[in-house]
Amino acid sequence: MYITNTSEKVIDLFDKIDELNSTHKVRFILYVFDLLNNNQINDKNQMNPDLYEKDDLEIFNAESIGFPPDFFDVFLYFNVMVYNKLVNSTEAYLEYGNVMGIENKTIDMELASKFSKLNYNEKLDVISELIIRYDNETYFNEEISMMPFASDRSGFDIAKAIQDFKK
């Protein structure tokens, strides 16, 4: 774990992730960042936060840490391509910032459930850890060349911004 001072739940989640093959790992990263892209990472754990007043809940997104709103779209697009290469298909694609073409049954539901039960700060820890592992090329089992997040910031910089943002 690169992130320190996190909960046992987050550590346990990454222990489970470490056991997965690269195809399942990319499905999980697509799942998490698709939620992030669709404003599903919020302090009230609401599945449809757009129905609430902005003052009622805090939504985490790229703008929360000073990036453009579509910052994670490029990351998702790249990982969709990685997924398609790993499964030798073109079934997955991005449409209006949403990951499409991957059936829910192909996502590890145990991991998805564990992630959904985490509190807000724990979810931010998971996102931070995913970003660092991705950027350091330690997330996947196979050697996969990673696209950099930004020319002026590393995964550690982005994770630090997320950690600084936490409540």
Side-chain angles (χ1 to χ4, degrees):
M1 292 286 298
Y2 293 100
I3 300 298
T4 58
N5 301 325
T6 192
S7 73
E8 280 298 317
K9 291 178 185 176
V10 172
I11 293 168
D12 180 52
L13 179 73
F14 275 96
D15 286 344
K16 299 284 185 205
I17 290 170
D18 288 339
E19 296 171 5
L20 299 174
N21 66 33
S22 291
T23 302
H24 286 89
K25 285 181 177 184
V26 76
R27 285 180 187 145
F28 183 73
I29 212 167
L30 288 171
Y31 170 75
V32 170
F33 281 86
D34 191 45
L35 290 175
L36 189 145
N37 243 20
N38 288 291
N39 294 331
Q40 302 296 307
I41 309 295
N42 58 76
D43 63 345
K44 303 277 193 262
N45 213 17
Q46 295 297 321
M47 292 307 289
N48 198 349
D50 295 329
L51 297 177
Y52 289 81
E53 295 292 324
K54 289 185 179 186
D55 295 340
D56 290 344
L57 71 132
E58 181 175 291
I59 298 172
F60 178 76
N61 56 36
E63 292 174 290
S64 302
I65 56 171
F67 285 96
D70 63 348
F71 180 75
F72 290 117
D73 284 351
V74 175
F75 178 71
L76 271 172
Y77 181 75
F78 177 78
N79 279 288
V80 163
M81 290 188 307
V82 169
Y83 173 79
N84 284 334
K85 182 167 176 39
L86 287 172
V87 299
N88 198 24
S89 172
T90 58
E91 67 186 42
Y93 59 97
L94 272 184
E95 185 174 290
Y96 303 110
N98 297 307
V99 177
M100 308 296 281
I102 299 176
E103 295 180 33
N104 282 341
K105 66 182 180 186
T106 63
I107 296 167
D108 187 314
M109 295 312 284
E110 179 188 355
L111 286 181
S113 176
K114 283 180 181 283
F115 181 78
S116 70
K117 291 176 184 174
L118 297 175
N119 70 39
Y120 185 55
N121 284 335
E122 290 169 329
K123 288 179 181 175
L124 296 179
D125 284 348
V126 169
I127 292 167
S128 297
E129 183 74 15
L130 288 172
I131 287 171
I132 292 171
R133 287 183 181 205
Y134 168 87
D135 196 49
N136 286 344
E137 298 185 8
T138 59
Y139 183 66
F140 295 109
N141 301 333
E142 289 101 60
E143 186 174 322
I144 298 173
S145 296
M146 300 301 160
M147 177 195 76
F149 279 104
S151 60
D152 61 336
R153 292 201 194 177
S154 71
F156 283 109
D157 296 329
I158 297 166
K160 182 174 180 346
I162 294 170
Q163 294 299 301
D164 290 346
F165 171 80
K166 280 181 11 180
K167 288 183 176 187

